[in-house]
Amino acid sequence: MNGLRDRLSRSAALLATRDETGVTPFAGYRVTGFTNDEEAGVGFADKAKWLLEDEPEKLPTEYSPGPVWEPCTVVDRNLYTGQNPASSGPLAEKFLPLLS
């Protein structure tokens, strides 16, 4: 894996990384993403078929949430994830140095 597109990911996109045998290149990585409480706070939890917080262990990856609605970023090797919209700025600050 190399290049810009391999370095930045929305956490939900991780769910689509399994190959035909169920293996993901991100097994064992730490990630973050929208929490179940955040999903409930915007009214999506009751309507969703699945919630992001419940899915990473199936890959298997390690889900690392921060406080609800607070910025939270997790960088593990070449994968950069943010928990929620408040994480966008802090995540960009961690990622921008890679572009120079």
Side-chain angles (χ1 to χ4, degrees):
M1 295 177 8
N2 56 32
L4 178 62
R5 69 180 166 77
D6 295 327
R7 297 188 186 279
L8 186 63
S9 173
R10 287 196 53 155
S11 299
L14 288 173
L15 303 177
T17 65
R18 286 176 266 191
D19 66 15
E20 62 279 353
T21 65
V23 175
T24 176
F26 299 109
Y29 280 62
R30 288 182 54 241
V31 300
T32 193
F34 230 39
T35 65
N36 291 351
D37 288 338
E38 289 166 327
E39 295 279 12
V42 295
F44 292 141
D46 293 340
K47 299 172 185 147
K49 292 182 181 180
W50 52 266
L51 298 175
L52 181 62
E53 184 175 344
D54 300 332
E55 295 300 309
E57 67 187 36
K58 297 176 185 176
L59 287 178
T61 58
E62 179 185 334
Y63 179 76
S64 300
V68 174
W69 298 119
E70 296 294 321
C72 175
T73 62
V74 172
V75 177
D76 190 348
R77 292 163 265 187
N78 61 343
L79 182 65
Y80 291 68
T81 55
Q83 179 171 313
N84 53 38
S87 306
S88 298
L91 187 62
E93 289 175 7
K94 290 181 181 211
F95 187 74
L96 281 174
L98 298 172
L99 301 177
S100 55

